């Protein structure tokens, strides 16, 4: 079992930045691929980005490419999501998740989830 806890969300103006943090505990986080997803009220959970267990491969959803960056520090069992040039449409609850078996954009392939952190971007 991998236990994940997100933090770093908040209220920011459009064009601003936030850095989300996901801290893991339990089984060795360095053996798991991981990802960030988001869900707006009334919407479906959608892919934001993913990173492999070594931190050498990443992939992003088109709406966030060039603005968001995923990284991880396995020594600190932590994953990050740096979000720049935020837009109102980025407002959502952001979740981190982990899985074995490679990076994936499909939230249903992830085994472990945090409870989420709220990001609100005002116009």
């Amino acid at each position: 079992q991998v236990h994940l806890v997100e933090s770093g969300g908040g209220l920011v103006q459009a064009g601003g930045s936030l850095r989300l943090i996901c801290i893991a505990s339990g089984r060795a986080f360095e053996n798991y691929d991981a990802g960030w997803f988001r869900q707006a009220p009334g919407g479906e959970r959608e892919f934001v980005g993913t990173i492999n267990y070594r931190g050498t491969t990443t992939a992003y959803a088109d709406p966030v490419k060039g603005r968001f960056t995923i990284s991880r520090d396995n020594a600190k069992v932590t994953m990050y999501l740096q979000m720049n040039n935020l837009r109102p449409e980025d407002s959502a609850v952001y979740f981190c998740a982990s899985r074995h078996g490679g990076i994936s954009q499909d939230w249903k392939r992830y085994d472990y989830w945090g409870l989420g952190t709220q990001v609100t971007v005002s116009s």
Side-chain angles (χ1 to χ4, degrees):
Q1 181 106 11
V2 177
H3 182 62
L4 303 171
V5 178
E6 305 93 337
S7 64
L11 174 63
V12 64
Q13 289 188 332
S17 297
L18 284 173
R19 187 177 75 156
L20 303 186
I21 298 170
C22 175
I23 298 177
S25 61
R27 291 187 178 180
F29 182 63
E30 64 267 24
N31 295 331
Y32 286 78
D33 306 295
W36 287 96
F37 295 80
R38 66 188 183 186
Q39 189 165 15
E44 295 186 352
R45 189 162 298 190
E46 65 174 5
F47 169 71
V48 174
T50 182
I51 187 167
N52 72 335
Y53 69 101
R54 292 188 296 171
T56 56
T57 301
T58 57
Y60 299 92
D62 286 344
V64 308
K65 281 181 181 177
R67 300 188 298 123
F68 290 12
T69 302
I70 293 177
S71 60
R72 65 191 295 167
D73 183 341
N74 286 338
K76 296 182 178 178
V77 289
T78 301
M79 179 174 65
Y80 306 94
L81 180 65
Q82 178 66 44
M83 305 186 296
N84 297 329
N85 191 21
L86 282 160
R87 304 167 180 170
E89 55 264 38
D90 293 320
S91 297
V93 177
Y94 283 70
F95 301 89
C96 64
S98 64
R99 70 183 299 271
H100 271 306
I103 58 174
S104 175
Q105 299 185 16
D106 184 353
W107 67 267
K108 294 184 287 297
R109 294 181 178 271
Y110 284 77
D111 301 308
Y112 303 106
W113 291 84
L115 295 180
T117 185
Q118 176 71 50
V119 171
T120 303
V121 185
S122 63
S123 57

